[in-house]
mmCIF file of all heavy atoms in Angstrom:
data_model
loop_
_atom_site.group_PDB
_atom_site.id
_atom_site.type_symbol
_atom_site.label_atom_id
_atom_site.label_comp_id
_atom_site.label_asym_id
_atom_site.label_seq_id
_atom_site.Cartn_x
_atom_site.Cartn_y
_atom_site.Cartn_z
ATOM 1 N N PHE A 30 110.062 51.662 87.550
ATOM 2 C CA PHE A 30 108.615 51.554 87.698
ATOM 3 C C PHE A 30 108.218 51.664 89.173
ATOM 4 O O PHE A 30 107.320 52.419 89.529
ATOM 5 C CB PHE A 30 108.133 50.229 87.102
ATOM 6 C CG PHE A 30 106.677 49.969 87.322
ATOM 7 C CD1 PHE A 30 105.708 50.640 86.593
ATOM 8 C CD2 PHE A 30 106.264 49.048 88.275
ATOM 9 C CE1 PHE A 30 104.364 50.402 86.797
ATOM 10 C CE2 PHE A 30 104.918 48.804 88.487
ATOM 11 C CZ PHE A 30 103.972 49.483 87.750
ATOM 12 N N PHE A 31 108.891 50.930 90.062
ATOM 13 C CA PHE A 31 108.544 50.957 91.484
ATOM 14 C C PHE A 31 108.863 52.307 92.128
ATOM 15 O O PHE A 31 108.102 52.795 92.963
ATOM 16 C CB PHE A 31 109.227 49.807 92.241
ATOM 17 C CG PHE A 31 108.556 48.484 92.016
ATOM 18 C CD1 PHE A 31 109.205 47.476 91.316
ATOM 19 C CD2 PHE A 31 107.271 48.248 92.469
ATOM 20 C CE1 PHE A 31 108.584 46.259 91.088
ATOM 21 C CE2 PHE A 31 106.637 47.043 92.252
ATOM 22 C CZ PHE A 31 107.296 46.032 91.546
ATOM 23 N N VAL A 32 109.955 52.920 91.743
ATOM 24 C CA VAL A 32 110.298 54.242 92.278
ATOM 25 C C VAL A 32 109.248 55.265 91.834
ATOM 26 O O VAL A 32 108.800 56.097 92.627
ATOM 27 C CB VAL A 32 111.716 54.665 91.830
ATOM 28 C CG1 VAL A 32 111.965 56.138 92.101
ATOM 29 C CG2 VAL A 32 112.760 53.808 92.527
ATOM 30 N N THR A 33 108.822 55.177 90.578
ATOM 31 C CA THR A 33 107.807 56.093 90.069
ATOM 32 C C THR A 33 106.492 55.925 90.825
ATOM 33 O O THR A 33 105.868 56.911 91.237
ATOM 34 C CB THR A 33 107.578 55.859 88.559
ATOM 35 O OG1 THR A 33 108.820 56.049 87.878
ATOM 36 C CG2 THR A 33 106.542 56.819 88.004
ATOM 37 N N ILE A 34 106.074 54.690 91.021
ATOM 38 C CA ILE A 34 104.832 54.423 91.764
ATOM 39 C C ILE A 34 104.946 54.955 93.187
ATOM 40 O O ILE A 34 104.021 55.587 93.706
ATOM 41 C CB ILE A 34 104.499 52.906 91.776
ATOM 42 C CG1 ILE A 34 104.212 52.423 90.369
ATOM 43 C CG2 ILE A 34 103.345 52.602 92.714
ATOM 44 C CD1 ILE A 34 103.009 53.050 89.711
ATOM 45 N N PHE A 35 106.088 54.755 93.833
ATOM 46 C CA PHE A 35 106.299 55.239 95.190
ATOM 47 C C PHE A 35 106.209 56.761 95.246
ATOM 48 O O PHE A 35 105.533 57.326 96.110
ATOM 49 C CB PHE A 35 107.664 54.774 95.718
ATOM 50 C CG PHE A 35 108.011 55.369 97.050
ATOM 51 C CD1 PHE A 35 107.422 54.902 98.216
ATOM 52 C CD2 PHE A 35 108.912 56.418 97.146
ATOM 53 C CE1 PHE A 35 107.726 55.461 99.444
ATOM 54 C CE2 PHE A 35 109.222 56.983 98.366
ATOM 55 C CZ PHE A 35 108.633 56.495 99.524
ATOM 56 N N LEU A 36 106.864 57.437 94.306
ATOM 57 C CA LEU A 36 106.852 58.896 94.311
ATOM 58 C C LEU A 36 105.461 59.452 94.012
ATOM 59 O O LEU A 36 105.048 60.461 94.584
ATOM 60 C CB LEU A 36 107.859 59.440 93.297
ATOM 61 C CG LEU A 36 109.325 59.222 93.676
ATOM 62 C CD1 LEU A 36 110.233 59.710 92.553
ATOM 63 C CD2 LEU A 36 109.675 59.911 94.978
ATOM 64 N N LEU A 37 104.713 58.816 93.141
ATOM 65 C CA LEU A 37 103.351 59.266 92.872
ATOM 66 C C LEU A 37 102.466 59.124 94.103
ATOM 67 O O LEU A 37 101.568 59.923 94.325
ATOM 68 C CB LEU A 37 102.752 58.488 91.699
ATOM 69 C CG LEU A 37 103.292 58.854 90.321
ATOM 70 C CD1 LEU A 37 102.711 57.919 89.266
ATOM 71 C CD2 LEU A 37 102.995 60.292 89.979
ATOM 72 N N GLY A 38 102.729 58.129 94.915
ATOM 73 C CA GLY A 38 101.975 57.947 96.155
ATOM 74 C C GLY A 38 102.304 58.998 97.190
ATOM 75 O O GLY A 38 101.502 59.289 98.071
ATOM 76 N N CYS A 39 103.474 59.618 97.091
ATOM 77 C CA CYS A 39 103.908 60.620 98.073
ATOM 78 C C CYS A 39 103.536 62.039 97.676
ATOM 79 O O CYS A 39 103.552 62.934 98.500
ATOM 80 C CB CYS A 39 105.428 60.567 98.238
ATOM 81 S SG CYS A 39 106.019 59.035 98.940
ATOM 82 N N TYR A 40 103.228 62.256 96.413
ATOM 83 C CA TYR A 40 103.005 63.617 95.934
ATOM 84 C C TYR A 40 101.739 63.681 95.112
ATOM 85 O O TYR A 40 101.483 62.828 94.282
ATOM 86 C CB TYR A 40 104.195 64.063 95.075
ATOM 87 C CG TYR A 40 104.050 65.469 94.544
ATOM 88 C CD1 TYR A 40 104.271 66.559 95.370
ATOM 89 C CD2 TYR A 40 103.659 65.695 93.239
ATOM 90 C CE1 TYR A 40 104.127 67.845 94.901
ATOM 91 C CE2 TYR A 40 103.514 66.980 92.756
ATOM 92 C CZ TYR A 40 103.749 68.041 93.595
ATOM 93 O OH TYR A 40 103.601 69.311 93.128
ATOM 94 N N THR A 41 100.939 64.712 95.341
ATOM 95 C CA THR A 41 99.773 64.935 94.503
ATOM 96 C C THR A 41 100.123 66.015 93.494
ATOM 97 O O THR A 41 100.928 66.901 93.775
ATOM 98 C CB THR A 41 98.568 65.398 95.337
ATOM 99 O OG1 THR A 41 98.895 66.631 95.954
ATOM 100 C CG2 THR A 41 98.179 64.363 96.370
ATOM 101 N N PHE A 42 99.510 65.974 92.328
ATOM 102 C CA PHE A 42 99.835 66.940 91.292
ATOM 103 C C PHE A 42 99.339 68.331 91.621
ATOM 104 O O PHE A 42 99.761 69.286 91.022
ATOM 105 C CB PHE A 42 99.305 66.469 89.938
ATOM 106 C CG PHE A 42 100.119 65.353 89.374
ATOM 107 C CD1 PHE A 42 99.633 64.061 89.375
ATOM 108 C CD2 PHE A 42 101.383 65.585 88.865
ATOM 109 C CE1 PHE A 42 100.391 63.022 88.862
ATOM 110 C CE2 PHE A 42 102.139 64.556 88.364
ATOM 111 C CZ PHE A 42 101.646 63.274 88.354
ATOM 112 N N THR A 43 98.436 68.459 92.559
ATOM 113 C CA THR A 43 98.002 69.787 92.966
ATOM 114 C C THR A 43 99.010 70.410 93.916
ATOM 115 O O THR A 43 98.985 71.599 94.150
ATOM 116 C CB THR A 43 96.639 69.743 93.686
ATOM 117 O OG1 THR A 43 96.775 68.974 94.873
ATOM 118 C CG2 THR A 43 95.563 69.175 92.795
ATOM 119 N N GLY A 44 99.904 69.614 94.468
ATOM 120 C CA GLY A 44 100.877 70.129 95.408
ATOM 121 C C GLY A 44 100.269 70.438 96.759
ATOM 122 O O GLY A 44 100.853 71.140 97.560
ATOM 123 N N SER A 45 99.095 69.917 97.023
ATOM 124 C CA SER A 45 98.372 70.247 98.234
ATOM 125 C C SER A 45 99.091 69.745 99.481
ATOM 126 O O SER A 45 99.490 68.599 99.567
ATOM 127 C CB SER A 45 96.968 69.639 98.190
ATOM 128 O OG SER A 45 96.301 69.896 99.393
#
Side-chain angles (χ1 to χ4, degrees):
F30 175 75
F31 283 113
V32 167
T33 302
I34 295 297
F35 173 76
L36 290 176
L37 287 175
C39 295
Y40 180 77
T41 62
F42 286 106
T43 62
S45 177

